[in-house]
Amino acid sequence: MADRNDFEEFVAARSAALLRTAYLLTGQHADAEDLLQRAFLKVVPAWSRIQGSPEAYVRKVMVRENISRWRARRWREVLVSRHPEEPTDSGTSLEDRLTLMAALATLAPRQRAVIVLRYFEDLTEVETARLLGVAVGTVKSQHRDAIARLRVLVPDLLREGSDERRTVAP
């Protein structure tokens, strides 16, 4: 019973932050909700074993589930006629945020995961590597390639030598 209460408290306390991560990984609100629910379902059986760092474990499950989801659906493109819910006020224009989100959507799933985890979740390279289950060198190369791609797609938002972390937030 204690495990169930701990899990329910965790879900209540961290769902909003985890949903934000899921949204950044998927790019669509409905997919983000589904991804988070699938992650919670996968975490329940292992809950008693992950008490030390459940949020990192849930994020790892979400990243892996999202890659699996992407692989299963990569042959079809999903177009939407409306934009996500109201964005937060980060001091950047809506147009800049939408441009960045569109550019993020063009990245490969692992590149997108690296960018989301490094810049939006503020994880270190080592934490990102551990979460993705890859070497730190892989995180560095995926990061380098993703930033290079983003600089081509949105040159005005990501300038050489600028601090990308504070440039634009979705």
Side-chain angles (χ1 to χ4, degrees):
M1 192 63 169
D3 280 349
R4 180 182 174 145
N5 290 338
D6 289 344
F7 179 74
E8 288 174 356
E9 288 174 12
F10 172 77
V11 169
R14 301 304 303 155
S15 284
L18 290 168
L19 182 60
R20 182 176 139 254
T21 300
Y23 177 76
L24 290 168
L25 289 170
T26 63
Q28 295 190 17
H29 191 69
D31 288 343
E33 289 174 340
D34 291 344
L35 179 62
L36 183 57
Q37 289 301 316
R38 281 195 310 273
F40 283 151
L41 285 173
K42 288 202 173 214
V43 166
V44 169
W47 184 253
S48 61
R49 292 180 285 137
I50 60 168
Q51 288 297 310
S53 59
E55 189 162 351
Y57 189 88
V58 173
R59 278 195 185 117
K60 187 175 200 174
V61 170
M62 285 192 321
V63 167
R64 289 183 175 173
E65 282 291 305
N66 188 55
I67 290 171
S68 295
R69 179 191 70 86
W70 180 83
R71 284 180 180 150
R73 291 176 37 174
R74 73 175 151 194
W75 55 270
R76 68 176 193 192
E77 185 173 325
V78 178
L79 301 175
V80 296
S81 61
R82 62 180 181 91
H83 297 290
E85 285 70 34
E86 291 295 316
T88 58
D89 184 18
S90 63
T92 56
S93 74
L94 176 60
E95 182 179 323
D96 288 347
R97 287 192 298 264
L98 292 174
T99 301
L100 181 60
M101 289 303 292
L104 278 173
T106 68
L107 297 177
R110 186 168 285 164
Q111 289 177 347
R112 184 174 180 156
V114 167
I115 295 298
V116 167
L117 295 172
R118 291 282 291 128
Y119 292 104
F120 297 101
E121 292 299 324
D122 206 24
L123 299 181
T124 65
E125 289 172 338
V126 172
E127 292 168 331
T128 302
R130 190 176 310 121
L131 191 68
L132 293 174
V134 298
V136 173
T138 301
V139 170
K140 289 179 180 181
S141 66
Q142 293 291 314
H143 176 265
R144 180 198 62 231
D145 295 345
I147 291 296
R149 175 98 172 116
L150 290 173
R151 282 190 177 125
V152 168
L153 295 171
V154 287
D156 295 339
L157 296 178
L158 301 174
R159 289 185 187 87
E160 198 67 48
S162 70
D163 183 1
E164 290 96 351
R165 287 179 194 254
R166 291 183 279 140
T167 312
V168 177

